[in-house]
Amino acid sequence: MDDLFQIGCIGLIKAIDNFDTSQNVKFSTYAVPMILGEVRRYLRDNNSIRVSRSLRDTAYKAIYAREGLTRRNSKEPTIMEIAEEIGISKEEITYALDAIQTPVSLYEPVYTDGGDPLYVMDQISDKKNLEENWVEDISLNEAMKRLPERERHIIDMRFFEGKTQTEVAEEIHISQAQVSRLEKNALKAMKSYLS
């Protein structure tokens, strides 16, 4: 509230600096919109997530169109109806409406029955860290451990460090053909362990 009061004071000062007495208008008629404009600008520009003005405008047009269509037709309009009403594609409208949503913490409680609460993060699936991937990683590590040190080092450099066979050959001082042969043997051994 203190920040908003200070922003309002800045708007008042700007109104004082720019007020023209020759216009025959009350100061309050000029100052109130200046103060409100300054507060709105502050609220718009000091959000935790920046959304472009054009995107906000699109979202607000869609919201006003939805309200107007709901009043006229006595039912909630579809995104397609809103798009036709304001002449903007449904994809742009959806994107704009998503952009102005207030962010929610992953630790926001969604439901509680007196016991442990259910959080937003409990309802989001993690496609990167699925249980199958963990099992796969553990199996791969076990297969790597069974390799001789030299072959394990080659597999590590090739597939985890992204080096070429030539780079590996230079680093461990053997020919590229030897690296290729050792790599094939290592992969074959790993495949038979994983099967």
Side-chain angles (χ1 to χ4, degrees):
M1 287 306 284
D2 288 341
D3 288 348
L4 292 177
F5 178 77
Q6 289 176 352
I7 297 300
C9 289
I10 291 170
L12 178 62
I13 291 168
K14 284 182 179 180
I16 292 168
D17 289 344
N18 298 321
F19 184 65
D20 185 0
T21 54
S22 67
Q23 294 295 319
N24 200 20
V25 174
K26 283 185 177 180
F27 177 71
S28 62
T29 305
Y30 180 74
V32 170
M34 285 288 284
I35 294 167
L36 289 174
E38 202 63 34
V39 170
R40 284 191 186 117
R41 189 175 304 108
Y42 172 80
L43 292 173
R44 182 189 67 230
D45 294 343
N46 290 302
N47 244 344
S48 56
I49 296 176
R50 298 246 185 228
V51 177
S52 74
R53 182 169 234 177
S54 62
L55 204 54
R56 279 187 186 279
D57 290 346
T58 300
Y60 294 140
K61 281 181 194 172
I63 290 168
Y64 295 137
R66 181 176 60 205
E67 289 171 358
L69 287 167
T70 302
R71 265 186 263 113
R72 269 199 321 256
N73 302 332
S74 299
K75 69 176 183 78
E76 186 74 23
T78 65
I79 291 286
M80 201 62 213
E81 290 170 333
I82 295 169
E84 288 170 7
E85 178 77 13
I86 61 176
I88 297 174
S89 74
K90 64 180 182 178
E91 291 81 8
E92 280 184 68
I93 291 171
T94 305
Y95 182 67
L97 290 172
D98 282 346
I100 66 166
Q101 293 299 315
T102 306
V104 176
S105 168
L106 290 174
Y107 294 98
E108 182 85 23
V110 177
Y111 171 78
T112 184
D113 61 355
D116 289 338
L118 181 67
Y119 297 104
V120 170
M121 72 182 304
D122 298 330
Q123 296 184 316
I124 298 173
S125 69
D126 183 359
K127 294 185 175 37
K128 185 179 177 187
N129 295 310
L130 294 173
E131 186 177 333
E132 302 91 62
N133 296 349
W134 287 60
V135 171
E136 227 173 77
D137 287 348
I138 291 169
S139 300
L140 189 60
N141 282 337
E142 287 301 313
M144 289 275 292
K145 285 179 188 172
R146 293 177 180 272
L147 294 175
E149 179 64 33
R150 188 180 202 187
E151 290 179 6
R152 187 175 340 137
H153 189 57
I154 289 170
I155 294 297
D156 191 45
M157 286 190 289
R158 285 280 292 130
F159 298 100
F160 295 99
E161 296 175 21
K163 294 184 177 180
T164 64
Q165 287 183 348
T166 307
E167 291 171 328
V168 172
E170 287 173 10
E171 192 169 316
I172 61 173
H173 309 293
I174 60 173
S175 70
Q176 184 268 323
Q178 284 178 298
V179 170
S180 178
R181 185 179 51 76
L182 289 167
E183 180 184 312
K184 280 181 188 166
N185 289 342
L187 291 174
K188 192 176 187 181
M190 290 173 67
K191 187 176 180 182
S192 70
Y193 171 78
L194 292 170
S195 297

